Amino acid sequence: MVNTLKKHRRLFFFAGSFIVLMIFIFSITIGVWYQQQSGNCAGSQGGGPATGQTANGNDRQLAQAAWKQFKAVGYSDAAAAGAIGNLQYESGGHFNVHEEEIGGGGGYGLPQFTGSTLTQARQIAQQQHFNFDTVEGQIQTLDYSCLHSGQWISKDGKSYDQFKQMTDPSEAAASFLHDYERPGVPALAARQQDAKQWFAAFAKGNDKTTGEAKDFAATNSNGAQGDDGDCNAADGTPGATGDIVSQARAWMGWFHYGQVHPSPTLGSDLKNPNKNGITDCSGFVWLVLNKCGYKVPPHMGWFTGTMAADAKGPHHWLKQVDQKNAKAGDIIIVNQGSGAGDNGHTAILAENWHGYATKCINEGGCGGSGGVNENTVQNNFGYLLNGGDVVLAEPIK
């Protein structure tokens, strides 16, 4: 009788242990499934920092890189801060572009791309020539996926374009959380605190903005340049090449993209155009060169096809230069076929040429319709570099 009871106890013990183990495994499985289903965009909890975690120097540099890229694709200060607060939490607190989800689950990168969304993100980056191993590249991918791949799912009635123009960083952090991240663990308060921290650090006109961030905020101001005359070199002579770059940067964030030449929205004085006017890539280059006293065709009468043809031949406005001689202030033009419409693009080199990693300033490019922006040739020209005709040219006085 005693032996029978002992056997029964052992059987009950093993059966109970087995049931507990099965419940545990089932709970983990359901948890993983829920995280994957809770959002298709970033969707999973990253290794987020504790509320109020202090950023170190490298974090600040990476946050600043994120800020610049969000601004380049048309985010307001508040929207940029709200997004960065989320990315900081999702990427383990340190803006690690290779962050893998703590505890597994497949999340990866700044926003914790997950599952099929990670696959899609890598495909977008490859097709659009975004460098997925950088802060800039992952933000470009994020922006593209929201614009073109349905990854922004509005739960509060705000479209992605409306989100980009938000004015409160805490509200923007909440909107980005609910409509893009959609994580298993919201941790909204932590994300909002981080958003307010970066807004205080980088937003235009904020006294806490320091160093390069202050310079960036200044160059992205939508105010007037403060000089209604032609741009001048240090010696007072009009239009030295370096001042083309200065003028282009003075108009950072200006204009709305539209393929029309010239748009009445620019106003009647094209040396002092309306910052809210409409122009395209070749129109922007025309405006800068015109402002700085270089030769340009009347009435904005060129497009990327005719620009390249002139640089190679008549040299009325542009003269082609060898890559080894291309410098800051020169013009890059890339065309596929005739270059009409979306088959061509042009920009102003922001530094001496050193390949597709060279920074350039343009209207459009990876900044979309969000105004004049600065990024690499690789990122701004994208698919056009695959077989496109690349022309580097210096403006003619």
Side-chain angles (χ1 to χ4, degrees):
M1 184 69 178
V2 173
N3 288 337
T4 301
L5 289 173
K6 287 182 177 179
K7 288 180 180 178
H8 287 167
R9 288 193 186 106
R10 284 198 294 270
L11 286 172
F12 282 127
F13 174 78
F14 287 122
S17 299
F18 179 79
I19 290 171
V20 170
L21 179 61
M22 290 299 99
I23 291 173
F24 176 76
I25 293 174
F26 180 77
S27 299
I28 293 297
T29 302
I30 290 297
V32 171
W33 178 86
Y34 176 77
Q35 282 194 333
Q36 291 177 340
Q37 296 301 314
S38 63
N40 210 23
C41 191
S44 57
Q45 176 194 4
T51 302
Q53 175 171 328
T54 302
N56 61 36
N58 188 54
D59 294 338
R60 192 175 182 84
Q61 290 179 353
L62 293 172
Q64 195 169 83
W67 179 274
K68 289 184 177 182
Q69 189 57 53
F70 277 124
K71 294 294 292 180
V73 297
Y75 278 46
S76 67
D77 289 346
I84 292 171
N86 275 273
L87 298 192
Q88 181 177 8
Y89 187 90
E90 291 291 327
S91 62
H94 298 293
F95 302 100
N96 178 10
V97 295
H98 301 296
E99 179 74 15
E100 295 183 357
E101 184 179 348
I102 293 176
Y108 181 85
L110 291 177
Q112 291 291 277
F113 300 105
T114 304
S116 61
T117 304
L118 175 59
T119 302
Q120 181 193 66
R122 291 189 184 280
Q123 290 173 344
I124 289 172
Q126 182 178 17
Q127 292 166 358
Q128 300 299 318
H129 304 285
F130 301 149
N131 187 345
F132 199 65
D133 292 323
T134 65
V135 169
E136 293 86 353
Q138 289 195 8
I139 290 173
Q140 289 171 314
T141 301
L142 180 162
D143 180 63
Y144 188 95
S145 70
C146 288
L147 286 170
H148 305 293
S149 302
Q151 293 297 352
W152 183 268
I153 301 176
S154 178
K155 296 183 179 181
D156 56 7
K158 286 187 178 66
S159 69
Y160 185 52
D161 285 338
Q162 288 172 328
F163 161 76
K164 283 185 171 185
Q165 301 308 314
M166 292 185 72
T167 57
D168 183 281
S170 292
E171 292 178 3
S175 185
F176 193 88
L177 167 70
H178 298 311
D179 297 345
Y180 178 77
E181 288 292 350
R182 307 185 294 279
V185 179
L188 176 58
R191 298 167 193 261
Q192 288 179 318
Q193 181 162 328
D194 289 335
K196 289 187 287 187
Q197 167 192 330
W198 297 119
F199 185 81
F202 298 145
K204 292 181 293 186
N206 195 307
D207 291 338
K208 294 182 181 179
T209 307
T210 58
E212 185 183 353
K214 181 174 285 185
D215 294 338
F216 178 74
T219 60
N220 279 273
S221 171
N222 282 340
Q225 185 189 5
D227 177 6
D228 290 335
D230 289 345
C231 53
N232 294 317
D235 61 1
T237 59
T241 301
D243 293 296
I244 292 176
V245 176
S246 298
Q247 183 58 54
R249 283 185 170 145
W251 285 343
M252 285 283 205
W254 283 35
F255 312 126
H256 302 284
Y257 186 87
Q259 293 180 359
V260 55
H261 281 190
S263 168
T265 60
L266 291 171
S268 58
D269 181 4
L270 294 182
K271 281 190 180 263
N272 298 287
N274 174 17
K275 65 184 178 183
N276 295 313
I278 296 172
T279 192
D280 63 2
C281 59
S282 61
F284 167 67
V285 171
W286 188 98
L287 288 167
V288 172
L289 297 184
N290 182 57
K291 175 79 173 180
C292 291
Y294 286 81
K295 291 182 178 179
V296 289
H299 309 298
M300 210 175 280
W302 67 13
F303 73 104
T304 55
T306 57
M307 291 171 72
D310 182 69
K312 294 176 179 180
H315 308 317
H316 295 307
W317 318 297
L318 302 168
K319 181 178 181 181
Q320 186 171 16
V321 296
D322 191 87
Q323 290 187 0
K324 67 177 182 293
N325 297 322
K327 59 190 179 299
D330 285 346
I331 310 302
I332 177 172
I333 312 145
V334 182
N335 292 309
Q336 289 186 351
S338 68
D342 293 336
N343 291 323
H345 189 56
T346 184
I348 295 168
L349 298 186
E351 56 186 353
N352 293 347
W353 179 261
H354 55 92
Y356 291 166
T358 306
K359 292 288 185 70
C360 62
I361 305 165
N362 64 180
E363 172 70 17
C366 66
S369 60
V372 175
N373 61 91
E374 180 175 338
N375 211 300
T376 64
V377 169
Q378 180 74 64
N379 290 336
N380 277 332
F381 285 79
Y383 67 89
L384 291 174
L385 297 173
N386 292 332
D389 177 37
V390 181
V391 175
L392 298 170
E394 61 180 5
I396 294 176
K397 292 291 286 185

PDB file of all heavy atoms in Angstrom, residues 257-276:
ATOM      1  N   TYR A 257       8.770  70.913 -53.300  1.00  0.00           N
ATOM      2  CA  TYR A 257       9.164  70.323 -54.569  1.00  0.00           C
ATOM      3  C   TYR A 257       7.996  70.287 -55.556  1.00  0.00           C
ATOM      4  O   TYR A 257       6.890  69.861 -55.229  1.00  0.00           O
ATOM      5  CB  TYR A 257       9.694  68.906 -54.380  1.00  0.00           C
ATOM      6  CG  TYR A 257      10.256  68.321 -55.654  1.00  0.00           C
ATOM      7  CD1 TYR A 257      11.581  68.549 -56.007  1.00  0.00           C
ATOM      8  CD2 TYR A 257       9.462  67.571 -56.515  1.00  0.00           C
ATOM      9  CE1 TYR A 257      12.103  68.030 -57.181  1.00  0.00           C
ATOM     10  CE2 TYR A 257       9.966  67.062 -57.695  1.00  0.00           C
ATOM     11  CZ  TYR A 257      11.291  67.296 -58.024  1.00  0.00           C
ATOM     12  OH  TYR A 257      11.796  66.796 -59.189  1.00  0.00           O
ATOM     13  N   GLY A 258       8.274  70.719 -56.791  1.00  0.00           N
ATOM     14  CA  GLY A 258       7.300  70.626 -57.876  1.00  0.00           C
ATOM     15  C   GLY A 258       8.011  70.877 -59.188  1.00  0.00           C
ATOM     16  O   GLY A 258       8.857  71.783 -59.287  1.00  0.00           O
ATOM     17  N   GLN A 259       7.708  70.084 -60.212  1.00  0.00           N
ATOM     18  CA  GLN A 259       8.401  70.195 -61.495  1.00  0.00           C
ATOM     19  C   GLN A 259       7.735  71.260 -62.354  1.00  0.00           C
ATOM     20  O   GLN A 259       6.989  70.974 -63.294  1.00  0.00           O
ATOM     21  CB  GLN A 259       8.430  68.833 -62.189  1.00  0.00           C
ATOM     22  CG  GLN A 259       9.292  67.819 -61.444  1.00  0.00           C
ATOM     23  CD  GLN A 259       9.336  66.466 -62.129  1.00  0.00           C
ATOM     24  OE1 GLN A 259       8.724  66.236 -63.158  1.00  0.00           O
ATOM     25  NE2 GLN A 259      10.080  65.546 -61.535  1.00  0.00           N
ATOM     26  N   VAL A 260       8.012  72.516 -62.002  1.00  0.00           N
ATOM     27  CA  VAL A 260       7.461  73.642 -62.739  1.00  0.00           C
ATOM     28  C   VAL A 260       8.501  74.764 -62.742  1.00  0.00           C
ATOM     29  O   VAL A 260       9.169  74.999 -61.735  1.00  0.00           O
ATOM     30  CB  VAL A 260       6.130  74.123 -62.114  1.00  0.00           C
ATOM     31  CG1 VAL A 260       6.304  74.452 -60.653  1.00  0.00           C
ATOM     32  CG2 VAL A 260       5.564  75.315 -62.871  1.00  0.00           C
ATOM     33  N   HIS A 261       8.674  75.459 -63.904  1.00  0.00           N
ATOM     34  CA  HIS A 261       9.708  76.485 -64.077  1.00  0.00           C
ATOM     35  C   HIS A 261       9.141  77.750 -64.708  1.00  0.00           C
ATOM     36  O   HIS A 261       8.621  77.670 -65.825  1.00  0.00           O
ATOM     37  CB  HIS A 261      10.816  75.972 -65.006  1.00  0.00           C
ATOM     38  CG  HIS A 261      11.793  75.064 -64.391  1.00  0.00           C
ATOM     39  ND1 HIS A 261      12.948  74.692 -65.025  1.00  0.00           N
ATOM     40  CD2 HIS A 261      11.821  74.417 -63.214  1.00  0.00           C
ATOM     41  CE1 HIS A 261      13.632  73.858 -64.276  1.00  0.00           C
ATOM     42  NE2 HIS A 261      12.954  73.675 -63.162  1.00  0.00           N
ATOM     43  N   PRO A 262       9.373  78.909 -64.143  1.00  0.00           N
ATOM     44  CA  PRO A 262       9.449  79.064 -62.686  1.00  0.00           C
ATOM     45  C   PRO A 262       8.040  79.167 -62.126  1.00  0.00           C
ATOM     46  O   PRO A 262       7.142  79.687 -62.787  1.00  0.00           O
ATOM     47  CB  PRO A 262      10.207  80.380 -62.519  1.00  0.00           C
ATOM     48  CG  PRO A 262       9.820  81.182 -63.730  1.00  0.00           C
ATOM     49  CD  PRO A 262       9.583  80.177 -64.846  1.00  0.00           C
ATOM     50  N   SER A 263       7.822  78.718 -60.950  1.00  0.00           N
ATOM     51  CA  SER A 263       6.502  78.790 -60.352  1.00  0.00           C
ATOM     52  C   SER A 263       6.211  80.209 -59.874  1.00  0.00           C
ATOM     53  O   SER A 263       7.076  80.861 -59.283  1.00  0.00           O
ATOM     54  CB  SER A 263       6.396  77.831 -59.169  1.00  0.00           C
ATOM     55  OG  SER A 263       5.227  78.078 -58.413  1.00  0.00           O
ATOM     56  N   PRO A 264       4.999  80.712 -60.102  1.00  0.00           N
ATOM     57  CA  PRO A 264       4.639  82.039 -59.592  1.00  0.00           C
ATOM     58  C   PRO A 264       4.748  82.140 -58.077  1.00  0.00           C
ATOM     59  O   PRO A 264       4.879  83.239 -57.534  1.00  0.00           O
ATOM     60  CB  PRO A 264       3.174  82.207 -60.036  1.00  0.00           C
ATOM     61  CG  PRO A 264       2.971  81.227 -61.135  1.00  0.00           C
ATOM     62  CD  PRO A 264       3.894  80.094 -60.865  1.00  0.00           C
ATOM     63  N   THR A 265       4.727  80.971 -57.417  1.00  0.00           N
ATOM     64  CA  THR A 265       4.797  80.986 -55.956  1.00  0.00           C
ATOM     65  C   THR A 265       6.148  81.467 -55.444  1.00  0.00           C
ATOM     66  O   THR A 265       6.279  81.821 -54.269  1.00  0.00           O
ATOM     67  CB  THR A 265       4.524  79.582 -55.395  1.00  0.00           C
ATOM     68  OG1 THR A 265       5.507  78.664 -55.898  1.00  0.00           O
ATOM     69  CG2 THR A 265       3.137  79.095 -55.774  1.00  0.00           C
ATOM     70  N   LEU A 266       7.168  81.490 -56.311  1.00  0.00           N
ATOM     71  CA  LEU A 266       8.489  81.967 -55.902  1.00  0.00           C
ATOM     72  C   LEU A 266       8.541  83.485 -55.798  1.00  0.00           C
ATOM     73  O   LEU A 266       9.479  84.029 -55.215  1.00  0.00           O
ATOM     74  CB  LEU A 266       9.562  81.482 -56.886  1.00  0.00           C
ATOM     75  CG  LEU A 266       9.851  79.983 -56.894  1.00  0.00           C
ATOM     76  CD1 LEU A 266      10.756  79.619 -58.068  1.00  0.00           C
ATOM     77  CD2 LEU A 266      10.481  79.538 -55.576  1.00  0.00           C
ATOM     78  N   GLY A 267       7.544  84.169 -56.346  1.00  0.00           N
ATOM     79  CA  GLY A 267       7.532  85.623 -56.333  1.00  0.00           C
ATOM     80  C   GLY A 267       8.161  86.201 -57.582  1.00  0.00           C
ATOM     81  O   GLY A 267       8.690  85.485 -58.438  1.00  0.00           O
ATOM     82  N   SER A 268       8.139  87.510 -57.681  1.00  0.00           N
ATOM     83  CA  SER A 268       8.649  88.184 -58.880  1.00  0.00           C
ATOM     84  C   SER A 268      10.149  88.440 -58.835  1.00  0.00           C
ATOM     85  O   SER A 268      10.783  88.629 -59.868  1.00  0.00           O
ATOM     86  CB  SER A 268       7.911  89.516 -59.076  1.00  0.00           C
ATOM     87  OG  SER A 268       8.075  90.356 -57.930  1.00  0.00           O
ATOM     88  N   ASP A 269      10.742  88.472 -57.647  1.00  0.00           N
ATOM     89  CA  ASP A 269      12.184  88.714 -57.502  1.00  0.00           C
ATOM     90  C   ASP A 269      12.881  87.391 -57.231  1.00  0.00           C
ATOM     91  O   ASP A 269      12.947  86.915 -56.092  1.00  0.00           O
ATOM     92  CB  ASP A 269      12.431  89.693 -56.349  1.00  0.00           C
ATOM     93  CG  ASP A 269      13.910  90.014 -56.164  1.00  0.00           C
ATOM     94  OD1 ASP A 269      14.738  89.534 -56.980  1.00  0.00           O
ATOM     95  OD2 ASP A 269      14.248  90.717 -55.189  1.00  0.00           O
ATOM     96  N   LEU A 270      13.428  86.770 -58.263  1.00  0.00           N
ATOM     97  CA  LEU A 270      14.021  85.444 -58.120  1.00  0.00           C
ATOM     98  C   LEU A 270      15.404  85.464 -57.478  1.00  0.00           C
ATOM     99  O   LEU A 270      15.974  84.413 -57.204  1.00  0.00           O
ATOM    100  CB  LEU A 270      14.067  84.739 -59.478  1.00  0.00           C
ATOM    101  CG  LEU A 270      12.695  84.404 -60.078  1.00  0.00           C
ATOM    102  CD1 LEU A 270      12.849  83.659 -61.400  1.00  0.00           C
ATOM    103  CD2 LEU A 270      11.854  83.601 -59.097  1.00  0.00           C
ATOM    104  N   LYS A 271      15.942  86.656 -57.243  1.00  0.00           N
ATOM    105  CA  LYS A 271      17.161  86.724 -56.420  1.00  0.00           C
ATOM    106  C   LYS A 271      16.816  86.645 -54.936  1.00  0.00           C
ATOM    107  O   LYS A 271      17.688  86.371 -54.105  1.00  0.00           O
ATOM    108  CB  LYS A 271      17.941  88.010 -56.712  1.00  0.00           C
ATOM    109  CG  LYS A 271      18.760  87.941 -57.994  1.00  0.00           C
ATOM    110  CD  LYS A 271      19.691  89.134 -58.115  1.00  0.00           C
ATOM    111  CE  LYS A 271      20.496  89.025 -59.408  1.00  0.00           C
ATOM    112  NZ  LYS A 271      21.812  88.454 -59.178  1.00  0.00           N
ATOM    113  N   ASN A 272      15.584  86.906 -54.617  1.00  0.00           N
ATOM    114  CA  ASN A 272      15.101  86.808 -53.238  1.00  0.00           C
ATOM    115  C   ASN A 272      13.762  86.067 -53.243  1.00  0.00           C
ATOM    116  O   ASN A 272      12.714  86.641 -52.992  1.00  0.00           O
ATOM    117  CB  ASN A 272      14.945  88.200 -52.624  1.00  0.00           C
ATOM    118  CG  ASN A 272      16.269  88.937 -52.552  1.00  0.00           C
ATOM    119  OD1 ASN A 272      17.118  88.614 -51.742  1.00  0.00           O
ATOM    120  ND2 ASN A 272      16.449  89.914 -53.442  1.00  0.00           N
ATOM    121  N   PRO A 273      13.812  84.767 -53.557  1.00  0.00           N
ATOM    122  CA  PRO A 273      12.573  84.017 -53.750  1.00  0.00           C
ATOM    123  C   PRO A 273      11.810  83.781 -52.448  1.00  0.00           C
ATOM    124  O   PRO A 273      12.382  83.825 -51.353  1.00  0.00           O
ATOM    125  CB  PRO A 273      13.074  82.695 -54.338  1.00  0.00           C
ATOM    126  CG  PRO A 273      14.462  82.550 -53.793  1.00  0.00           C
ATOM    127  CD  PRO A 273      15.014  83.949 -53.751  1.00  0.00           C
ATOM    128  N   ASN A 274      10.541  83.512 -52.592  1.00  0.00           N
ATOM    129  CA  ASN A 274       9.688  83.154 -51.461  1.00  0.00           C
ATOM    130  C   ASN A 274      10.091  81.778 -50.935  1.00  0.00           C
ATOM    131  O   ASN A 274      10.112  80.801 -51.686  1.00  0.00           O
ATOM    132  CB  ASN A 274       8.223  83.153 -51.922  1.00  0.00           C
ATOM    133  CG  ASN A 274       7.272  82.662 -50.849  1.00  0.00           C
ATOM    134  OD1 ASN A 274       7.604  82.606 -49.671  1.00  0.00           O
ATOM    135  ND2 ASN A 274       6.065  82.297 -51.261  1.00  0.00           N
ATOM    136  N   LYS A 275      10.396  81.707 -49.656  1.00  0.00           N
ATOM    137  CA  LYS A 275      10.877  80.452 -49.073  1.00  0.00           C
ATOM    138  C   LYS A 275       9.822  79.343 -49.127  1.00  0.00           C
ATOM    139  O   LYS A 275      10.154  78.165 -49.029  1.00  0.00           O
ATOM    140  CB  LYS A 275      11.309  80.666 -47.625  1.00  0.00           C
ATOM    141  CG  LYS A 275      10.184  81.057 -46.682  1.00  0.00           C
ATOM    142  CD  LYS A 275      10.717  81.349 -45.293  1.00  0.00           C
ATOM    143  CE  LYS A 275       9.595  81.782 -44.346  1.00  0.00           C
ATOM    144  NZ  LYS A 275      10.116  82.143 -43.015  1.00  0.00           N
ATOM    145  N   ASN A 276       8.552  79.703 -49.269  1.00  0.00           N
ATOM    146  CA  ASN A 276       7.482  78.717 -49.351  1.00  0.00           C
ATOM    147  C   ASN A 276       7.056  78.437 -50.784  1.00  0.00           C
ATOM    148  O   ASN A 276       6.026  77.790 -51.014  1.00  0.00           O
ATOM    149  CB  ASN A 276       6.272  79.187 -48.535  1.00  0.00           C
ATOM    150  CG  ASN A 276       6.572  79.260 -47.050  1.00  0.00           C
ATOM    151  OD1 ASN A 276       7.144  78.334 -46.487  1.00  0.00           O
ATOM    152  ND2 ASN A 276       6.207  80.369 -46.419  1.00  0.00           N
TER     153      ASN A 276
END
